[in-house]
Amino acid sequence: MSTFIDRRLNDRRKSTANRVRFLRRYKKQIRRSLDDIVSKRKMGDFERGAKVKLPAKDISEPQFSYGSGGDREVVHPGNREFETGDKIPRPPSQGQGQGDGDASDGEDTVDEFLFTLSRDEFMSLFFDDLELPRLARTQLGPITENKPRRAGFATQGTPANLAVVRSLRNAMARRMAVQNPLKEELRQLQEAGAPASDIADLERRIAAVPWVDDFDLRYVHRAMRAEPVTRAAMFCLMDVSASMDEARKDLAKRFFTLLYLFLSRKYEAVELIFIRHTSDAEEVDEDTFFHDPKSGGTVVNTALTLLDDIIQERYGQGWNLYAAQASDGDAFGADIEKSRSCLEGLLDRLRYFAYLEVGNTSGRTSPLAGAYARIDHPHFAMAEARHRNEIYPVLRSLFSQEASA
């Protein structure tokens, strides 16, 4: 007979169910707070957890109470000052209170509820509902990877994989199969007036049937199964010309940092290609892309031409290709129309191309944005961000699940 003691660790996750329920219920309020957090954070701190402040009025729970209608007279025990019908004046909102603290002449405020998000919770909320548009498993050939998948139940395994419900179901079935004939025999003996010793012996046999036996135990079984790989590549194109001052570069880098975190967290096999351009375009590594201070003139078409060359050289059939471009839209002469024409030629081979214009506070349409606005293709989208707090909403608008529909 087996004795079970569930010692599976749950020390710091005892309230996991309540925590998940809380996050699900107040997801909208928490997400509003994330916009403010992202705008104030350094780029290297995006992956940390966060303390989220929620207005207390937003997390009030609904409850049953007496309504305003009907007659209700209540005199609470211990009342020595008031009689039924007395009206108590509402205390003023400002002025000296009875507490020990100093009075404040500021405006009325609302208490805030401080909630700490772990790193995983922060990142899950951060990139929830985002996905690459039109991602398809186009590669069904020899390139596969093995992933564990549920494959029924096994009679042997580790305690962590114990299938409690299935084991208890087997134990119940075994007890019914063994005990029911004995119980029927016991009932017949009792009706026939059999000796007490025979009845007691049969009752001991029924009680001796174990509640759970080793035979009943079942463990979750997982088998490795080969699955086709979704092959995707994201091209990141950033304008680092002289017109892109530090504020605009900061916006562009924040956008690409969030894009990088989104892809690395939600997809296992997405290649990232970093291209930056001045008057010339070059493919660089991640560190150079985000930290090199190089600057110069502006020719946008060079970046799109390099993108085309890389696609032809490395990425044939079966690839889901994406591109994101960040620029201040400052382009000159024939480069504008060349860029638009080159981009239109690329869109049929790309699943999605997102153009982000950064730091345009003049209110006028930039030359590059004006040319791109004439592109009518379902795989193209454009947006603009003028301040830090607009980067996260823009990323969500460009890569939301609705946009991918």
Side-chain angles (χ1 to χ4, degrees):
M1 178 177 179
S2 300
T3 301
F4 293 91
I5 301 176
D6 190 352
R7 291 197 176 96
R8 286 176 290 187
L9 296 178
N10 197 25
D11 53 348
R12 294 186 179 182
R13 303 176 64 87
K14 289 180 178 177
S15 59
T16 299
N18 290 334
R19 193 175 180 87
V20 172
R21 191 179 301 117
F22 178 87
L23 293 175
R24 185 173 61 247
R25 182 176 300 173
Y26 301 110
K27 189 174 181 180
K28 186 181 298 183
Q29 291 89 335
I30 294 174
R31 187 166 287 165
R32 281 203 300 266
S33 300
L34 292 184
D35 294 349
D36 185 53
I37 292 173
V38 172
S39 64
K40 296 177 180 176
R41 274 194 173 181
K42 296 179 180 178
M43 283 187 286
D45 296 335
F46 278 143
E47 290 187 85
R48 287 194 295 109
K51 290 184 177 180
V52 179
K53 291 182 180 179
L54 302 178
K57 63 181 179 61
D58 286 352
I59 59 173
S60 59
E61 297 286 345
Q63 57 184 358
F64 291 104
S65 62
Y66 288 105
S68 57
D71 296 330
R72 181 168 179 265
E73 295 182 359
V74 176
V75 177
H76 293 284
N79 172 32
R80 297 178 180 177
E81 302 178 15
F82 303 105
E83 299 292 338
T84 302
D86 287 349
K87 294 184 178 179
I88 304 174
R90 186 186 184 92
S93 60
Q94 296 182 3
Q96 183 64 43
Q98 296 180 356
D100 298 331
D102 297 333
S104 173
D105 57 354
E107 298 180 353
D108 291 346
T109 59
V110 179
D111 292 339
E112 291 181 328
F113 176 78
L114 190 63
F115 185 74
T116 302
L117 294 173
S118 67
R119 176 181 176 276
D120 287 340
E121 290 169 341
F122 180 79
M123 298 300 286
S124 296
L125 284 166
F126 211 49
F127 300 119
D128 192 22
D129 300 333
L130 298 185
E131 68 177 23
L132 286 174
R134 306 177 189 85
L135 184 67
R137 291 188 172 184
T138 55
Q139 183 65 41
L140 301 176
I143 300 177
T144 58
E145 60 181 355
N146 293 322
K147 290 184 177 181
R149 287 288 182 268
R150 290 284 295 270
F153 298 94
T155 56
Q156 293 183 343
T158 60
N161 291 331
L162 179 66
V164 178
V165 175
R166 177 58 65 101
S167 298
L168 293 179
R169 186 184 301 169
N170 289 345
M172 182 181 295
R174 177 186 49 77
R175 289 202 308 274
M176 292 174 63
V178 175
Q179 288 180 334
N180 283 358
L182 298 177
K183 289 179 179 178
E184 178 61 22
E185 184 179 352
L186 176 63
R187 185 184 64 78
Q188 293 176 357
L189 289 178
Q190 290 172 337
E191 292 177 354
S197 59
D198 293 346
I199 294 177
D201 181 62
L202 197 54
E203 289 177 340
R204 282 195 297 273
R205 290 174 58 192
I206 293 174
V209 176
W211 189 66
V212 177
D213 202 333
D214 292 342
F215 177 77
D216 305 321
L217 301 184
R218 293 294 182 273
Y219 299 87
V220 175
H221 179 58
R222 291 181 174 85
M224 301 303 289
R225 182 182 302 171
E227 293 189 352
V229 175
T230 301
R231 299 201 300 176
M234 171 66 78
F235 292 85
C236 301
L237 286 69
M238 182 165 66
D239 182 359
V240 294
S241 61
S243 60
M244 289 280 288
D245 56 19
E246 287 302 316
R248 290 182 172 89
K249 286 181 181 176
D250 179 73
L251 293 176
K253 290 177 181 178
R254 283 175 178 273
F255 172 75
F256 285 119
T257 300
L258 293 180
L259 181 62
Y260 173 80
L261 293 175
F262 155 58
L263 295 175
S264 59
R265 181 173 180 81
K266 296 204 68 170
Y267 299 97
E268 298 178 0
V270 176
E271 291 188 10
L272 286 165
I273 302 95
F274 298 102
I275 298 175
R276 63 175 188 173
H277 74 90
T278 53
S279 55
D280 296 321
E282 58 179 341
E283 182 183 358
V284 296
D285 57 23
E286 176 186 336
D287 184 66
T288 304
F289 184 80
F290 285 105
H291 302 110
D292 191 272
K294 179 183 177 182
S295 185
T298 306
V299 181
V300 179
N301 187 44
T302 56
L304 298 174
T305 303
L306 180 58
L307 166 63
D308 189 12
D309 294 341
I310 294 176
I311 290 176
Q312 294 184 29
E313 181 181 348
R314 303 183 205 166
Y315 301 101
Q317 296 294 326
W319 281 89
N320 294 278
L321 300 177
Y322 299 87
Q325 180 184 12
S327 172
D328 60 349
D330 197 8
F332 305 95
D335 179 46
I336 299 172
E337 288 304 316
K338 284 183 179 178
S339 300
R340 184 187 63 81
S341 177
C342 184
L343 179 56
E344 286 181 329
L346 288 168
L347 286 175
D348 288 336
R349 284 176 284 167
L350 298 174
R351 297 280 184 188
Y352 191 61
F353 187 98
Y355 170 68
L356 173 67
E357 186 155 305
V358 293
N360 185 357
T361 57
S362 64
R364 64 178 179 83
T365 303
S366 71
L368 189 61
Y372 280 0
R374 302 204 306 274
I375 297 176
D376 183 17
H377 198 287
H379 295 184
F380 176 73
M382 55 188 298
E384 63 175 349
R386 293 181 293 272
H387 306 287
R388 282 184 174 184
N389 57 3
E390 296 176 354
I391 292 295
Y392 180 49
V394 163
L395 179 77
R396 297 194 63 82
S397 67
L398 291 175
F399 293 96
S400 64
Q401 292 181 353
E402 292 77 13
S404 64

